[in-house]
Amino acid sequence: MKNFLLLAAGLYAVSATGQTVLHVGGSSGGAYKTINDAVNDALQRKNENVVVQVHKGVYYLPRNIEINAGDMKCNSLQIKPAANEQVTVSAGRPLALNWKPYRNGIYVANVPAGIRFERLYVNDVPQILARYPDYDSSAAVLNGTSPDAIKRIDKWKDAGNGYVHALHLHRWGGNSYRVSKDNNGKIKLEGGWQTNRPDGMNEKYVYVENSLEELDAPHEWFLDTKNNQLYYYPPAGIQPGKAKVVASNLKNSITLKGDATHPVRNVKIQGLRFAHNERTFMETAEPLLRSDWTIYRNGALLLDGTEDCSISDCEFEGLGGNAIMISNYSKRDTVNGCHIHHIGANAICLVGDPKVVRSARDKYEALLPYNAIDKYPGPKDENFPQHCLITDNLVHHIGQFEKQVAGVELAICAGITVSHNSIYDVPRAGINVGDGCFGGHLIEYNDVFNTVLETSDHGAFNSWGRDRYWSADRIFMDSITTVHPELILLDVQVPVTLRNNRFRCDHGWDIDLDDGSSNYRIYNNVCLNGGIKLREGFLRVVENNIMINNTFHPHVWFRNSEDVFRHNIVSRAFLPVEIPVWGREVDYNLFPDNDALQKSQQRNTDAHSLAGDPGFTDPAKGNYWLKSNSPAFEIGFRNIPMNQFGVLKPSLKKIARQPVFPPLVKSGYDGNEYLLK
């Protein structure tokens, strides 16, 4: 029996399993020419299970693909490549250009009237929008900065398309601004809303871009939108007339749109490569409650109002903004086996609707008196992601334009599992939990390192609480939570669990629970450099973790925090800040030496803790399994498996990097505090 019965001149086929297969591209004379057309046809096939099978090639989207719940009559829809064929879904447009020499190695070509773009790809390699200072791949921050960058705008003939990019004043992310000049030639800046802590820019870490006057280095380009001309400085070996040139066009490639009453169900996007999406940093303006974040609620793929949908085995490369945004009501969605790299903003975001949060506020300083707080526990409705799975993804080199980003961002969502992801080379956190709404996350077996590379005061894993009762006034907080401890769990109703992860942050903490992060269970994690910080919060249990070359950082705890820190291995004395009461239990830990142990015991903690060499099996190779005679077993420590961190998918595991394993550093006591020597 034949596997397929071909129908309608090769336009589609019905498989032996009852699936309808629609072919896009390829050699079939009747195949669909665009993915858009095939998807639109698939949606109308009532009660059918449809596979849109895309054959090898680059498919330039004429418009974004929209899958709306109200239009979806099929039971399920899968969009995937034909077997062993490579498919790129491009949000760009190819340009046929007649290049002519301009000057000093620069070429110029006419482009269609009205065209605008901020990303240019030559032979599929992103080029550099003309900037000052010139792009420097070795620069630690923003690929090169200069405190005199803004002064350069004075000499620009036309500043109307220009941008200023800078770190946040305190390096809590990045800010971007549109440039203009008034009638007197005075520079005006509009923007700075890319972080939710509006303190302005860091004047040291600044660069400017998008002016013809700054086009002076290979790979740089500039689009003159008034005269419809494109300028380009090709690097050695590139002949512009023979190169494939693509300009960004769309910000979003595929949208799945429904709601809690009528969700989009059973859509699978598999094995596709997404590329050439436009930059979106000026749209990153929606505040996420009182976290430090603002967000652009979109991406190359947007899932909004969905159930049981999946994105698997896809690659996202060279995007100008976010890769995947899972927004508002989304239940049991999955992102797995994807490779997300060299993109402008976030890799994977799960962000609910702030309107579901009781007593919601979007400013850090906002304070509500007790009588004004909504006391009803939990959310108002279900318009937020829940019970989704983010697993086995390789994420690196994100945040190329935006700096308040993460490999995985969780905000206003519940019960999300983040497991076996490898995340590295990021400007800020690898994994971020933006609030206490609504808990229940399981974060396990991730490998997260080379984080907080361009910013500061953060961690490989970072979280905020700042729930409905929280205030930056710690005296108020101590008083209100002492009298009304029931407020603590109104938002974070189910514990957040961090277990069996490996973290390394050289510019902050490996695990950073900041500002009110509450109701956490943190165990079996290997922290390679930055230690664990618990700032003001409640009900955190930290046990059976290893802190290499660092220690425990308790910061400004509340008197009734009920925090627990036990059965952990630390490499130096604790580093407390304003701890009036040491929680419910701090004991049964292993210190590197007696001086460190005695210092804790003098604070009336660690009565049963011990000191000594933990006896790691092979720390130079990242094996911190304890030898059988380790004193850590005497304080209740249990060995942590060392071979389960990061991606499992063979093709991703083959190319995924691992962190550098630091040489063990002995601690020395200076009479006041432990210093690394």
Side-chain angles (χ1 to χ4, degrees):
M1 181 177 179
K2 293 184 178 180
N3 288 333
F4 294 97
L5 175 63
L6 296 181
L7 300 173
L11 189 64
Y12 67 93
V14 179
S15 73
T17 59
Q19 290 181 322
T20 301
V21 181
L22 308 181
H23 292 271
V24 180
S27 59
S28 299
Y32 296 88
K33 301 302 181 185
T34 71
I35 302 174
N36 303 65
D37 291 341
V39 169
N40 290 339
D41 189 354
L43 295 177
Q44 301 305 310
R45 295 178 176 272
K46 190 173 182 180
N47 299 327
E48 295 184 19
N49 298 308
V50 185
V51 176
V52 172
Q53 186 165 281
V54 188
H55 291 269
K56 180 179 179 180
V58 178
Y59 292 82
Y60 298 99
L61 299 178
R63 59 196 176 281
N64 68 319
I65 297 169
E66 294 189 7
I67 300 172
N68 295 309
D71 299 331
M72 187 173 176
K73 298 179 174 60
C74 57
N75 286 332
S76 67
L77 171 62
Q78 185 175 9
I79 308 172
K80 68 175 187 177
N84 301 317
E85 297 190 24
Q86 295 183 345
V87 173
T88 294
V89 179
S90 173
R93 68 179 96 194
L95 298 179
L97 302 171
N98 181 21
W99 293 104
K100 296 179 180 180
Y102 176 58
R103 67 185 181 198
N104 300 329
I106 300 171
Y107 287 76
V108 64
N110 293 324
V111 297
I115 191 172
R116 289 179 176 269
F117 53 87
E118 294 186 0
R119 293 284 272 164
L120 185 73
Y121 305 82
V122 176
N123 295 336
D124 216 27
V125 176
Q127 303 301 295
I128 300 164
L129 192 55
R131 53 169 282 167
Y132 175 84
D134 289 340
Y135 183 93
D136 180 0
S137 61
S138 66
V141 176
L142 298 174
N143 296 118
T145 61
S146 175
D148 70 345
I150 294 179
K151 295 179 181 178
R152 304 278 296 195
I153 300 173
D154 287 331
K155 73 182 185 71
W156 292 1
K157 182 179 178 181
D158 181 5
N161 292 317
Y163 293 106
V164 172
H165 302 281
L167 290 187
H168 179 276
L169 177 64
H170 304 297
R171 300 184 67 171
W172 297 336
N175 291 332
S176 294
Y177 305 83
R178 288 189 183 94
V179 176
S180 63
K181 292 182 181 180
D182 63 20
N183 293 334
N184 297 318
K186 184 179 179 180
I187 297 170
K188 298 172 63 178
L189 301 180
E190 178 190 17
W193 46 64
Q194 291 80 11
T195 58
N196 197 27
R197 301 287 291 275
D199 300 308
M201 72 171 73
N202 188 307
E203 295 182 357
K204 177 181 177 182
Y205 298 107
V206 185
Y207 77 95
V208 294
E209 68 169 359
N210 206 17
S211 171
L212 181 59
E213 285 84 353
E214 305 300 349
L215 204 168
D216 58 3
H219 292 286
E220 287 192 342
W221 65 277
F222 171 76
L223 175 64
D224 181 347
T225 56
K226 291 184 177 180
N227 297 301
N228 304 313
Q229 290 184 310
L230 176 63
Y231 296 84
Y232 177 50
Y233 192 151
I238 295 293
Q239 300 181 40
K242 297 181 179 180
K244 182 181 74 171
V245 180
V246 175
S248 55
N249 183 26
L250 306 174
K251 297 173 182 177
N252 165 255
S253 297
I254 300 178
T255 294
L256 280 57
K257 186 69 175 75
D259 56 37
T261 304
H262 299 98
V264 173
R265 294 188 175 98
N266 303 317
V267 174
K268 300 177 187 275
I269 300 170
Q270 180 180 359
L272 304 174
R273 175 178 178 263
F274 292 88
H276 308 146
N277 295 71
E278 183 60 279
R279 302 195 301 183
T280 58
F281 55 83
M282 291 308 292
E283 282 76 29
T284 300
E286 178 190 342
L288 290 183
L289 298 180
R290 291 192 291 169
S291 81
D292 287 5
W293 279 57
T294 60
I295 200 74
Y296 171 58
R297 199 179 284 268
N298 211 326
L301 270 57
L302 171 63
L303 281 63
D304 190 332
T306 53
E307 288 182 356
D308 302 304
C309 294
S310 67
I311 303 165
S312 62
D313 305 318
C314 292
E315 181 177 14
F316 299 81
E317 178 183 9
L319 312 181
N322 302 321
I324 300 169
M325 175 64 67
I326 299 176
S327 171
N328 295 323
Y329 177 81
S330 300
K331 185 177 286 188
R332 299 182 302 275
D333 291 338
T334 300
V335 180
N336 71 284
C338 293
H339 186 191
I340 305 173
H341 61 104
H342 296 94
I343 65 171
N346 299 280
I348 304 165
C349 296
L350 297 97
V351 182
D353 180 1
K355 294 178 182 178
V356 309
V357 180
R358 299 180 187 276
S359 297
R361 285 151 289 157
D362 61 11
K363 296 302 180 186
Y364 173 86
E365 301 83 3
L367 181 150
L368 284 180
Y370 176 78
N371 291 337
I373 298 173
D374 185 335
K375 313 301 189 305
Y376 197 89
K380 295 179 181 178
D381 60 45
E382 286 197 296
N383 199 29
F384 56 90
Q386 47 199 292
H387 308 301
C388 298
L389 175 62
I390 311 300
T391 186
D392 208 8
N393 301 288
L394 174 57
V395 175
H396 58 93
H397 293 94
I398 66 172
Q400 295 189 316
F401 303 117
E402 303 180 41
K403 302 306 172 184
Q404 189 69 273
V405 298
V408 179
E409 165 68 4
L410 307 180
I412 316 174
C413 53
I416 309 301
T417 296
V418 181
S419 67
H420 284 294
N421 302 285
S422 291
I423 303 172
Y424 52 84
D425 291 344
V426 300
R428 203 138 174 79
I431 300 172
N432 185 77
V433 175
D435 49 59
C437 313
F438 297 98
H441 309 313
L442 175 59
I443 299 169
E444 62 178 358
Y445 299 109
N446 300 285
D447 199 10
V448 184
F449 57 95
N450 280 17
T451 60
V452 196
L453 292 181
E454 299 181 69
T455 57
S456 68
D457 194 14
H458 215 54
F461 172 86
N462 179 82
S463 66
W464 293 290
R466 304 176 186 169
D467 296 347
R468 67 181 83 174
Y469 64 90
W470 185 86
S471 167
D473 183 340
R474 290 199 296 275
I475 295 176
F476 171 82
M477 281 292 296
D478 242 341
S479 62
I480 192 173
T481 55
T482 298
V483 178
H484 298 287
E486 71 278 2
L487 295 175
I488 295 167
L489 298 181
L490 290 180
D491 288 317
V492 57
Q493 298 187 290
V494 182
V496 176
T497 299
L498 272 70
R499 67 184 184 192
N500 299 294
N501 302 284
R502 182 168 63 188
F503 295 114
R504 176 167 183 170
C505 183
D506 292 7
H507 308 280
W509 296 273
D510 295 332
I511 298 175
D512 179 8
L513 269 61
D514 208 0
D515 290 358
S517 299
S518 298
N519 205 7
Y520 273 76
R521 306 294 180 266
I522 301 173
Y523 61 91
N524 289 11
N525 299 286
V526 177
C527 298
L528 293 177
N529 190 75
I532 297 177
K533 170 189 151 190
L534 301 186
R535 191 174 166 87
E536 51 191 38
F538 302 89
L539 302 171
R540 286 83 62 95
V541 179
V542 181
E543 54 188 350
N544 215 76
N545 303 281
I546 297 173
M547 278 148 272
I548 300 299
N549 293 347
N550 213 308
T551 189
F552 180 40
H553 299 255
H555 288 190
V556 291
W557 285 6
F558 300 121
R559 295 184 182 278
N560 63 333
S561 71
E562 291 296 302
D563 286 336
V564 173
F565 186 85
R566 65 191 174 203
H567 308 308
N568 300 286
I569 297 174
V570 298
S571 300
R572 54 188 298 200
F574 298 161
L575 294 174
V577 176
E578 297 183 37
I579 304 297
V581 179
W582 281 80
R584 178 157 57 92
E585 181 182 9
V586 179
D587 204 354
Y588 297 98
N589 300 297
L590 182 68
F591 290 83
D593 51 49
N594 286 321
D595 285 338
L597 173 58
Q598 290 172 10
K599 190 169 186 183
S600 285
Q601 291 177 338
Q602 289 168 4
R603 299 188 185 105
N604 298 316
T605 67
D606 293 286
H608 302 93
S609 297
L610 298 176
D613 185 343
F616 299 128
T617 298
D618 193 355
K621 295 183 179 179
N623 185 356
Y624 303 101
W625 188 269
L626 303 185
K627 297 176 183 177
S628 59
N629 62 346
S630 171
F633 294 128
E634 298 180 42
I635 51 93
F637 190 87
R638 302 174 306 278
N639 261 320
I640 302 172
M642 295 289 154
N643 59 354
Q644 300 179 22
F645 307 117
V647 290
L648 300 174
K649 182 180 175 181
S651 62
L652 295 181
K653 192 169 185 176
K654 183 178 180 180
I655 62 175
R657 285 169 34 209
Q658 291 195 40
V660 173
F661 302 113
L664 300 185
V665 178
K666 299 286 185 180
S667 65
Y669 187 50
D670 68 351
N672 179 42
E673 191 54 84
Y674 276 79
L675 303 174
L676 295 181
K677 293 186 176 179

